[in-house]
Amino acid sequence: MQHTLQFQSELNANTDTAWRWITSFDGINTELAPLLFMTAPSHVRTLTDVDVVFGEPLFRSWLKLFGLLPIDYSKLTLVELEEGVGFTECSRMGSMKVWQHERKIVATPTGSRLTDTLTFESYLPGFVVKPFVTTLFKHRHKKLQRHFNG
C-alpha cells in the first residue's frame, strides 16, 4: 500500500539560502544526523555538481544508520529540478517499491516555506516503515528550524 506524508517548515531564510542548504550534502546530512547519513561520491557536494539526466540514476547512495551501519541504498534519481524552487526525486531503493520525495521552497513575507511531500511503498509492512519515515522527517524539520530559526 502506498503512503503519502507531507511536512512543512517556515524558515527565516530567503529562498536562495534555503536552496543552497537543501541541495548540499552537508545540509542533507545535518538534517539526518545523528539518525542517518547519506553517502555521495567525493566530488559531489551538492545536487547541482552532477550532470542531471532526468529519470537516470545520478549515483548510488548508501543510507547508514548512525553514520556507521549501511541499512539501505538509493539509486538517487531526479525527475525534476528547478533552480531555487525545488526538486522531485524518484529513486530506486533496496527497501522501497516506490520512493518519491518532492522538496519545494516558496518565498514568504518572513523568509521561505519548505515543503517535503513523500510518496512511498515499502517491501516491509507499512506499520513498520510509515512511523520510521514520519519520525525521520519530523526530525529533519526540527533540525531545519533549529538551523534557520535559532
Side-chain angles (χ1 to χ4, degrees):
M1 172 175 21
Q2 278 195 8
H3 303 278
T4 299
L5 301 171
Q6 190 170 78
F7 304 88
Q8 279 190 346
S9 288
E10 301 292 325
L11 306 176
N12 293 332
N14 64 37
T15 56
D16 290 340
T17 301
W19 174 254
R20 284 190 302 276
W21 175 271
I22 72 165
T23 57
S24 76
F25 277 89
D26 284 344
I28 291 165
N29 282 316
T30 297
E31 290 175 31
L32 292 170
L35 303 174
L36 284 179
F37 180 84
M38 189 172 176
T39 67
S42 59
H43 68 281
V44 179
R45 302 198 85 144
T46 72
L47 291 177
T48 57
D49 288 345
V50 182
D51 290 330
V52 175
V53 177
F54 294 122
E56 294 292 324
L58 304 176
F59 52 83
R60 181 183 288 234
S61 176
W62 287 99
L63 301 173
K64 295 183 177 184
L65 186 63
F66 304 117
L68 301 170
L69 180 66
I71 59 167
D72 204 354
Y73 70 87
S74 169
K75 290 187 177 180
L76 191 66
T77 305
L78 297 178
V79 295
E80 188 176 274
L81 178 68
E82 188 175 347
E83 183 82 26
V85 175
F87 60 83
T88 303
E89 168 206 354
C90 291
S91 297
R92 184 161 183 228
M93 297 181 71
S95 65
M96 300 286 180
K97 295 177 188 175
V98 174
W99 177 260
Q100 179 174 303
H101 177 196
E102 179 182 281
R103 195 160 231 212
K104 300 290 183 193
I105 308 165
V106 295
T108 66
T110 58
S112 58
R113 179 180 307 112
L114 176 65
T115 304
D116 285 308
T117 305
L118 305 156
T119 303
F120 60 93
E121 182 178 355
S122 176
Y123 292 110
L124 298 171
F127 71 86
V128 173
V129 176
K130 187 176 178 185
F132 178 78
V133 173
T134 299
T135 298
L136 181 63
F137 274 81
K138 282 183 177 180
H139 171 78
R140 288 185 78 167
H141 278 259
K142 281 182 188 173
K143 297 282 284 269
L144 274 164
Q145 291 166 10
R146 199 173 309 139
H147 179 79
F148 286 111
N149 303 347

